Amino acid sequence: MTPAVTWGLLVAWVIHDAEEFLAVPWWSARLPRLRARHPRVPGRLWSLIAPGRIESGVAIGIIGIAMAVAAARGAATAGRSDYFQLMLLGFGWHAVTHLAMSAVARGYTPGVVTAVILVAPFSLWAWHRLGEAGLSHPVDPAEIGLIFVLLPVVLGGSRWIGRLVESRMAARGEPTASQ
């Protein structure tokens, strides 16, 4: 399997998450309008939708480690690694969440551009290449179920750690972008 498939997962993820990270300040500034448009959405949910810069950066770093390990496992096993394939599948599926958020927001949300032009196409291309090489196993419905369970747990856990770091910094009086 070529490095374009295995290490390409990490490269695509870096580009995608760079878009997300760079859009955080703009997105946070847009929240008052979205709250006015959706008054029934609980306040706590808005904080989940719009993380602070520190929270976002920490969460991206944690997921980055997981993606780097997946790409390395994929490269070491020529794409055969179940972990690599599971992360590739999750990466592709998470493009749908970006589209859903943009539909609810009725406009741009962080990550939606690269979700459409990079995440989904790269994931489909990589699966096609794995299939051509006979390396991808048929997607088991249990694996898709596992992704739908693990994706929110992993993303939520990384965000929780990021929020903890950001709140501890704020408690010590250190500047955070959220202040």
Side-chain angles (χ1 to χ4, degrees), residues 28 52-54 166-179:
S28 296
R53 276 300 254 189
I54 303 295
E166 189 165 40
S167 66
R168 292 224 171 138
M169 287 176 68
R172 287 195 309 250
E174 296 178 30
T176 66
S178 300
Q179 295 175 324

Side-chain angles (χ1 to χ4, degrees), residues 46-89:
W46 289 112
S47 67
L48 293 174
I49 293 170
R53 276 300 254 189
I54 303 295
E55 177 185 339
S56 181
V58 169
I60 286 170
I62 291 168
I63 299 300
I65 292 167
M67 295 304 278
V69 170
R73 288 293 308 137
T77 63
R80 289 179 178 84
S81 164
D82 286 341
Y83 178 66
F84 165 74
Q85 291 188 15
L86 187 66
M87 292 296 280
L88 177 62
L89 193 58

Side-chain angles (χ1 to χ4, degrees), residues 134-155:
L135 299 176
S136 67
H137 46 80
V139 178
D140 183 340
E143 287 177 335
I144 292 177
L146 182 62
I147 285 172
F148 283 109
V149 169
L150 289 179
L151 192 61
V153 169
V154 170
L155 295 177

